[in-house]
Amino acid sequence: MTVSIGAKTEVLIEALPWIQQYEEKTFVVKYGGAAMVEEDLRETFAQDVTILKKIGIRMVIVHGGGREITEIAQKLGLSTRFVDGQRYTDEPMMEVVQMVLAGKTNKDIVARINQHDGEAVGLCGLDVHLLKARRQRPRQGDLGLVGEITEVNTEYLELLLGNGIMPVIAPIAVGTEGEVLNVNADIAAGAIASALASEKLVYLSDVPGVMSGTELIHSIDRPMARDLIESGVIGAGMVPKLRSAFNALESGVRKVHMIDGRVKHSLLLEIFTDEGVGTQIVSQPEERP
Amino acid sequence: MTVSIGAKTEVLIEALPWIQQYEEKTFVVKYGGAAMVEEDLRETFAQDVTILKKIGIRMVIVHGGGREITEIAQKLGLSTRFVDGQRYTDEPMMEVVQMVLAGKTNKDIVARINQHDGEAVGLCGLDVHLLKARRQRPRQGDLGLVGEITEVNTEYLELLLGNGIMPVIAPIAVGTEGEVLNVNADIAAGAIASALASEKLVYLSDVPGVMSGTELIHSIDRPMARDLIESGVIGAGMVPKLRSAFNALESGVRKVHMIDGRVKHSLLLEIFTDEGVGTQIVSQPEERP
Amino acid sequence: MTVSIGAKTEVLIEALPWIQQYEEKTFVVKYGGAAMVEEDLRETFAQDVTILKKIGIRMVIVHGGGREITEIAQKLGLSTRFVDGQRYTDEPMMEVVQMVLAGKTNKDIVARINQHDGEAVGLCGLDVHLLKARRQRPRQGDLGLVGEITEVNTEYLELLLGNGIMPVIAPIAVGTEGEVLNVNADIAAGAIASALASEKLVYLSDVPGVMSGTELIHSIDRPMARDLIESGVIGAGMVPKLRSAFNALESGVRKVHMIDGRVKHSLLLEIFTDEGVGTQIVSQPEERP
Amino acid sequence: MTVSIGAKTEVLIEALPWIQQYEEKTFVVKYGGAAMVEEDLRETFAQDVTILKKIGIRMVIVHGGGREITEIAQKLGLSTRFVDGQRYTDEPMMEVVQMVLAGKTNKDIVARINQHDGEAVGLCGLDVHLLKARRQRPRQGDLGLVGEITEVNTEYLELLLGNGIMPVIAPIAVGTEGEVLNVNADIAAGAIASALASEKLVYLSDVPGVMSGTELIHSIDRPMARDLIESGVIGAGMVPKLRSAFNALESGVRKVHMIDGRVKHSLLLEIFTDEGVGTQIVSQPEERP
Amino acid sequence: MTVSIGAKTEVLIEALPWIQQYEEKTFVVKYGGAAMVEEDLRETFAQDVTILKKIGIRMVIVHGGGREITEIAQKLGLSTRFVDGQRYTDEPMMEVVQMVLAGKTNKDIVARINQHDGEAVGLCGLDVHLLKARRQRPRQGDLGLVGEITEVNTEYLELLLGNGIMPVIAPIAVGTEGEVLNVNADIAAGAIASALASEKLVYLSDVPGVMSGTELIHSIDRPMARDLIESGVIGAGMVPKLRSAFNALESGVRKVHMIDGRVKHSLLLEIFTDEGVGTQIVSQPEERP
Amino acid sequence: MTVSIGAKTEVLIEALPWIQQYEEKTFVVKYGGAAMVEEDLRETFAQDVTILKKIGIRMVIVHGGGREITEIAQKLGLSTRFVDGQRYTDEPMMEVVQMVLAGKTNKDIVARINQHDGEAVGLCGLDVHLLKARRQRPRQGDLGLVGEITEVNTEYLELLLGNGIMPVIAPIAVGTEGEVLNVNADIAAGAIASALASEKLVYLSDVPGVMSGTELIHSIDRPMARDLIESGVIGAGMVPKLRSAFNALESGVRKVHMIDGRVKHSLLLEIFTDEGVGTQIVSQPEERP
């Protein structure tokens, strides 16, 4: 494609001011879905986070890994059961979760980013007790070794970020009795972003963003969200995601973004263009900058 | 103008890697010609150098100011005379040169950049003896109080640059007897760029760059320059400019650029696009990056 | 002159303790009058401020320049008009004020101090927005582009002072709309001294100090000043100067001095002798140290 | 047990001087064998390395994990084959090796040390390209994805050690094509100890040390080793271990120790008693300190 | 003596955790009695304080010196008189006290510690006005030039301690009129320990500690002390020592120890064994750690 | 005395430039003779060294103390014997020398300087092994415990000087066997000045300086000294002093001064007046500045 001089100038004038604004700021990216599975999307993701890190943004990646866990658990003869959308995790299953998330998924992501010279390091919540959690007690039933995060060791993350290293975090945590706990990756990303008082928390998933019918909402705030949920315009599936986004905003994250991981370089476009390509979620009504 | 998502991605992928590469590097820009006279070009120049400074480039501006000097000298009843293209400068004229360059042109540029929040400070060679010079002795005739730079006080420039301040320099110098000397702005820019071991020295002037006939040469090195000069393809007017560019390259500047100050934002386009919009001058044959 | 050993000892024992006390302290000197016009006084002034800087005092010079402005304005065909003792400044006049103060007077002082190796740098309020001002609205009439200082960029001054550089400041400021404003040098010196919480603010002018009839008052405080003004002993001409001195004292300056710029080295003598040679103005009754 | 006052004094006088000598020194421990399998030995190991870290020694752990790899590979239906004592590693096997070593063994060790508050962090050679390797080409046969270390990223290890963090390293490396390679843990420990110019490299294994028949050799140097090997006193099994120990000594490690991992607290006893409990290997003949 | 491996392990596991806990903590030791007189005790004392300093404890020694003062005073023809247990000190006696304490006792201790490479420096209260005191006015009689400490120059002590130097302090002070005053060494040690907010204040004297009849009390707190004093179990001689210990605890010292200077290495044993060898004095009831 | 304004200016203009030149420079003063004995000279000496320290000169005092040693030795029944002008020092005498020099003379000087707020600290060569020496072996006879300095612990002196503390040093040293040695104060001052690469080494004694007959020599260099010694103009008594001065100059001291300690404030006058009041000794012919 050939881009005209005029178009180039326009894009630069639009993008460059953001760079200064984001320097030394922290972005937490929840990485999952197609972007973590398809070969070319994995590649552009690794490329994008490396570019962002190199222009001075402190990048933190939190990943999921459900598919691979289920696959290997099955091969090892363990059956998977979900309770309210969360994996029931007994001790043998927890061993598999730890092994696959921390040993396979995590290190595969790290290896690919480092092929692009991204200086990533793979971590899980057991390392320097990065993530502490308590057992999650659902009102009904039992989830087994599933936890909710109570504390994030930001000192270690700050050490890495301050030295130009990109942490890639597998969402398992240490419990109050020293037991290993499985934690939800979306929620872990939110807890980490809050603890680091991040500039942005970005959810990469397999939808374009928050939709009003077939139309993408570019920017949404709490009152607007309430109205659209009440009027049924926003589907039930999006409700818990929006709730966790507003929680993060209340805990000190400045903006939450939901973007389409299936679009190549969507991360760059969301960050460096005024209109963005997904939905930005803010506390108060605000114009898209 | 509406730029497509694809085009935006392309421009960003092209531009972003340069940013990291230029961070903390020094660019010296010789500012003059139309870009210093026309209102809208003055405005986009101030905007561009501020953006460049804000993304971490250490910007230094060296300006000329011939037209304003002539104008005010005339009003004060002094006649202007040029010897070999250089202004003959007796003491009354030197007083006018100092007053206009350091008090009017320089501070006007500073004021405009600071309107864009560029944190500029105006200097001339008398400040902390920034520029020391010896009297220029042409083979024929006499130029009066005209000097050639022998020493640049880089310590002070480094202090300013290291503290995020943009020096804007009027090309007058202190002579060996303490007298004030007029120095050529192009040559002053080269001397300052060399003393700071700059990454880039950019000449903004009223031509598109080095031309081979009616075609712009994107990149030129010394052997190629020699051939084109010998074959008469490059006009005589460009020869001294090329010579001073090669001098700067030999003294430690990494690249010299000649770009068209009449094109808005040409500075940004030269720096952040692979092909550039003017001519880059390099020591050895090299592909345009 | 030959000074006896005994006299030398006495002067040293008197002077040396002051040195320690003033180290790393800031002195703001308002420079004007004869000391800025007569050749030998200019020379001893440059010598004195350099010595003071070299023994560790952080020197700041604020200068006026009325005579030169009037002279050049006249040559350029502009007529000068004063309103209540302040120059009426329309746009053409402001251009002349800026050009002369920042380009001629300022750089001439800088050049002379640097001939004594004083490491001075010339500044005006446009540089890094050093001085911000609002338009002065007199009760009667109109002063044009005349301002009163609202903010001093001390961060930049501290950077220079902390690196052993002596700022020499021309009293022009940037207005709220980005316009250039003329400000009174005496008042600018007071504002700068207050912003820097200076140890001393010294006014060099063409009178011996505050006089009680024909006798010099060595030290004066507010109650004493009030009495002498009421009883008519202190003339009306001195009243506004005293008022601005007391303002400076209230804003954090420790002492204000009014000394005779016509006496060679009066600056050194005021500072390093117990009795001083001018008038010191203090908040509370205090013995001359 | 009750220890007499006299005995306590003696032990203290013996142990305390070592502490000062070891402060801020680096110890690399190769962890494996029974000490990594039996519950109470795992516990005393975690306790010992934590104590050593807390008194100021910079501890680095490098672990093996053969048994667990074989076990899980088997469950996943992969058969294990050894070539010359090294595991033949094709791609599916390498995936298992990575997953088990980096996800299970490594994080289990980390979790246990952190239960004792040892501030450990689990790493493998993929993290920030900690370990770079080239494919090992045996003279005969093919080992598959097995590598020998060519570079250790000491900068990252120094960052962790300098901030009081204990790296626990799984011996897998990144190859020249970006492929993941299996490396021998003993050799990896030696390469890391050399790269860090460690004070000590300690091999914890299931033998008492180097034996001369049934008697433990407390200290051995190269000439002595040669004699004993030639005379057949030292068995063939020990020869490669001794060779790698001497290699480490030549590359800057000060001392190598071989101690019995089956004895509780053997690590502390070797380090804090003059006679030690295993074999120390030194370059030149030297008295046991 | 041969200590078994098991016993060694036990002592190390007991001692090592203390080391970490005491690093960079300050211990003030009052040195006197037999430990300062008998050759082999002097030697083990110098050895012990050097070991403690080398493992990172900030050691401060405060010494007495009664016997030597009396001896030399006698030779110089001055008679010694005690008032309520304190030496009556007129001017000639004060000269002797200063000369002997600061010139002989102090420098002898320093020299011996430095033979063990302990980097000690000898000080008295006159140096940088380390100890300021006011004249002690007993209710009855007159003590002459005897003072009680009102201020300790901790800045200087911190400078030395922070640079790995061990201050050895002779208990003389400067009075409010500049006169030299004799101060009680026990009380001086308490004042210095309080001023430095020491971890420990250790009194080395010629008794085993606080005794309940013939049995050593290992740990005592204020209520327990009161009971035992009231019931006459603790003898009157110990009462003032306990009082000054409780004063020190109230002023910020964490623990006071009274140990037997006649037992070799009692200092090490008290500090590095759980039970200790003397009496520890604490504010609140507390288990011996 | 009343000094005229003109005289004051002259003295200031003469003195002030020296201050800058001496800031952060080290001066070693050998203190002895009348200046150490007479009450008013002791007082002006303490005053002068305090002023010099306060204006930023790093002052080091080295003192003698012969008279007091002899006096107290006598009272203690020891007879004094001199060999070649040096005190014969057996063990009992060495104990007296240490006690008197380090405990009496040294601390008396310290106390007086500190009364003027000079922040002095008293030291001898035993402190942190400040001065190491070997036994002096004269060609004839035996001097006993007399040493010549082989090493000065400048690290400790630099620590004190860098923290604004003035070391006052008693000339006793530690020998190679740990024995205490008496060293000549003049030579000790030279060794210390050399080790610190001092700007000045000043000998305060009871003569006006180096005399040529009855006339004071203001400045002398080596060739001039040789001529005057050969021609007998300089008396034999001065020869060894000149020799040690030239030794110091060769070892890195910039200037040596011999001044009259009997003249009040001679130290200040030598340092802050161009002509000085004693003799300056330089390597090469040089004008008095």
Side-chain angles (χ1 to χ4, degrees), chain D residues 30 62 171 183-191 201 203 241 244:
Chain D
K30 161 63 206 319
V62 181
V183 294
N184 176 283
D186 283 0
I187 296 175
L201 165 59
Y203 286 101
K241 289 191 172 174
S244 78

Side-chain angles (χ1 to χ4, degrees), chain F:
Chain F
M1 194 193 324
T2 309
V3 184
S4 71
I5 286 294
K8 282 189 171 180
T9 307
E10 194 181 316
V11 177
L12 285 171
I13 295 286
E14 182 184 342
L16 291 175
W18 292 114
I19 288 170
Q20 167 216 4
Q21 187 164 332
Y22 292 145
E23 202 179 349
E24 295 295 313
K25 294 286 165 53
T26 305
F27 287 15
V28 175
V29 180
K30 160 64 205 318
Y31 181 42
M36 211 166 87
V37 173
E38 284 174 33
E39 177 57 23
D40 54 350
L41 290 171
R42 287 159 106 163
E43 197 62 16
T44 57
F45 175 78
Q47 194 181 344
D48 288 2
V49 295
T50 297
I51 284 179
L52 292 172
K53 196 201 85 145
K54 291 205 167 169
I55 63 172
I57 298 171
R58 297 151 43 109
M59 298 296 295
V60 178
I61 314 301
V62 181
H63 63 86
R67 278 182 238 194
E68 286 187 313
I69 295 167
T70 304
E71 203 178 297
I72 291 176
Q74 207 163 21
K75 284 193 192 165
L76 290 169
L78 299 175
S79 63
T80 296
R81 184 157 61 87
F82 285 86
V83 177
D84 274 339
Q86 287 202 265
R87 184 187 304 273
Y88 173 76
T89 312
D90 55 11
E91 258 190 64
M93 181 56 86
M94 189 62 236
E95 277 190 31
V96 174
V97 169
Q98 175 191 316
M99 188 171 75
V100 175
L101 273 187
K104 186 161 187 350
T105 319
N106 182 271
K107 299 300 181 188
D108 284 352
I109 298 168
V110 163
R112 194 176 286 262
I113 294 174
N114 286 340
Q115 284 309 106
H116 286 87
D117 200 23
E119 293 176 273
V121 86
L123 296 169
C124 71
L126 305 175
D127 294 299
V128 283
H129 284 184
L130 187 69
L131 304 176
K132 289 187 180 167
R134 65 165 163 259
R135 290 283 282 276
Q136 196 172 324
R137 304 277 175 216
R139 272 173 250 161
Q140 287 194 316
D142 174 23
L143 287 166
L145 294 161
V146 169
E148 44 195 16
I149 292 177
T150 53
E151 201 183 320
V152 177
N153 180 345
T154 55
E155 195 185 345
Y156 182 57
L157 293 177
E158 294 288 352
L159 174 67
L160 297 179
L161 293 167
N163 282 277
I165 292 167
M166 189 193 312
V168 176
I169 304 172
I172 61 179
V174 62
T176 47
E177 314 293 312
E179 77 277 26
V180 184
L181 297 175
N182 192 5
V183 295
N184 176 282
D186 283 1
I187 297 175
I192 292 167
S194 299
L196 291 170
S198 303
E199 177 71 16
K200 287 192 186 305
L201 164 60
V202 183
Y203 286 101
L204 261 189
S205 60
D206 294 354
V207 292
V210 183
M211 306 299 289
S212 167
T214 59
E215 209 179 328
L216 177 69
I217 301 173
H218 286 294
S219 186
I220 191 168
D221 57 56
R222 193 189 284 276
M224 185 177 162
R226 198 169 26 218
D227 291 356
L228 292 179
I229 289 168
E230 280 172 10
S231 61
V233 175
I234 292 179
M238 189 52 80
V239 174
K241 288 191 173 173
L242 280 173
R243 187 164 302 135
S244 77
F246 287 116
N247 283 346
L249 293 172
E250 263 163 36
S251 314
V253 174
R254 249 182 51 78
K255 271 193 193 167
V256 180
H257 297 258
M258 293 206 176
I259 63 176
D260 194 337
R262 298 164 307 178
V263 175
K264 281 193 197 170
H265 300 298
S266 54
L267 199 52
L268 286 190
L269 289 165
E270 176 70 11
I271 287 171
F272 288 113
T273 62
D274 294 346
E275 182 162 314
V277 295
T279 301
Q280 73 173 14
I281 305 163
V282 294
S283 298
Q284 297 300 322
E286 175 185 315
E287 297 240 327
R288 188 84 197 192

Side-chain angles (χ1 to χ4, degrees), chain A residues 98 103 107 114 120 122 126-128, chain D residues 98 103 107 114 120 122 126-128:
Chain A
Q98 175 192 315
K107 298 302 181 188
N114 286 342
L126 304 175
D127 295 299
V128 283
Chain D
Q98 175 192 315
K107 297 302 181 189
N114 286 342
L126 304 175
D127 295 299
V128 283

Side-chain angles (χ1 to χ4, degrees), chain A:
Chain A
M1 193 192 324
T2 309
V3 184
S4 72
I5 286 293
K8 282 187 172 182
T9 308
E10 196 181 316
V11 177
L12 285 172
I13 296 286
E14 184 183 341
L16 290 175
W18 292 114
I19 288 169
Q20 166 216 6
Q21 187 165 330
Y22 292 146
E23 199 178 351
E24 294 296 311
K25 295 286 165 54
T26 305
F27 286 16
V28 174
V29 180
K30 161 63 206 320
Y31 180 42
M36 210 166 88
V37 174
E38 284 174 33
E39 178 56 23
D40 53 350
L41 291 172
R42 287 159 105 161
E43 197 61 17
T44 57
F45 176 78
Q47 193 181 345
D48 288 2
V49 296
T50 297
I51 283 180
L52 292 172
K53 198 202 82 143
K54 292 205 167 169
I55 62 173
I57 298 171
R58 298 151 44 108
M59 298 296 294
V60 178
I61 314 301
V62 181
H63 63 85
R67 278 181 238 195
E68 286 187 314
I69 295 167
T70 305
E71 204 179 296
I72 290 176
Q74 208 163 17
K75 285 192 191 164
L76 290 168
L78 298 176
S79 63
T80 296
R81 184 158 61 88
F82 283 87
V83 177
D84 273 339
Q86 286 204 264
R87 184 187 304 272
Y88 172 78
T89 312
D90 55 10
E91 257 190 65
M93 180 56 86
M94 189 61 236
E95 277 190 29
V96 174
V97 168
Q98 175 192 315
M99 187 171 77
V100 175
L101 274 187
K104 186 164 187 350
T105 319
N106 182 273
K107 298 302 181 188
D108 283 352
I109 298 168
V110 163
R112 194 175 287 264
I113 294 174
N114 286 342
Q115 284 309 106
H116 288 274
D117 200 22
E119 292 176 275
V121 87
L123 296 169
C124 71
L126 304 175
D127 295 299
V128 283
H129 283 185
L130 188 70
L131 304 175
K132 290 186 180 168
R134 65 165 163 259
R135 290 283 282 275
Q136 195 172 325
R137 304 281 176 215
R139 273 174 248 160
Q140 287 194 317
D142 175 21
L143 287 166
L145 293 162
V146 169
E148 44 195 17
I149 291 175
T150 53
E151 200 183 321
V152 177
N153 180 345
T154 54
E155 195 186 344
Y156 183 57
L157 293 177
E158 295 288 352
L159 174 67
L160 297 179
L161 293 167
N163 282 278
I165 292 167
M166 190 193 311
V168 176
I169 304 172
I172 62 178
V174 62
T176 49
E177 315 294 312
E179 76 276 26
V180 183
L181 296 175
N182 192 5
V183 296
N184 176 283
D186 283 1
I187 297 175
I192 291 166
S194 299
L196 291 170
S198 303
E199 177 72 16
K200 288 194 187 303
L201 165 59
V202 183
Y203 286 102
L204 261 189
S205 59
D206 294 354
V207 293
V210 183
M211 308 298 289
S212 167
T214 60
E215 207 178 330
L216 176 69
I217 301 174
H218 285 295
S219 185
I220 191 167
D221 58 55
R222 193 188 286 275
M224 186 178 161
R226 197 168 29 218
D227 292 355
L228 292 178
I229 290 167
E230 277 171 13
S231 62
V233 175
I234 291 180
M238 189 50 80
V239 175
K241 288 189 173 174
L242 280 172
R243 187 162 303 135
S244 78
F246 286 116
N247 282 347
L249 292 172
E250 264 164 35
S251 313
V253 174
R254 250 182 49 80
K255 271 194 195 166
V256 180
H257 297 258
M258 292 204 177
I259 63 175
D260 195 337
R262 299 165 306 181
V263 175
K264 279 193 197 170
H265 300 297
S266 55
L267 198 53
L268 286 190
L269 290 165
E270 177 70 11
I271 287 170
F272 287 113
T273 64
D274 294 347
E275 183 162 311
V277 295
T279 302
Q280 74 172 15
I281 305 164
V282 293
S283 297
Q284 296 302 322
E286 174 185 313
E287 298 239 328
R288 189 82 196 192

Side-chain angles (χ1 to χ4, degrees), chain C residues 123-196:
Chain C
L123 297 169
C124 72
L126 304 174
D127 295 300
V128 284
H129 284 185
L130 187 70
L131 304 176
K132 289 186 180 168
R134 65 166 163 259
R135 288 285 281 275
Q136 195 172 323
R137 304 276 175 219
R139 270 173 252 161
Q140 288 195 316
D142 175 22
L143 287 167
L145 293 162
V146 170
E148 45 195 15
I149 291 176
T150 54
E151 201 183 320
V152 177
N153 180 345
T154 55
E155 194 185 345
Y156 183 58
L157 293 177
E158 294 287 351
L159 175 67
L160 297 179
L161 293 168
N163 282 279
I165 291 165
M166 190 193 311
V168 175
I169 303 172
I172 62 179
V174 63
T176 48
E177 314 295 311
E179 77 276 27
V180 183
L181 297 174
N182 191 4
V183 296
N184 176 282
D186 283 0
I187 297 175
I192 291 166
S194 298
L196 291 169

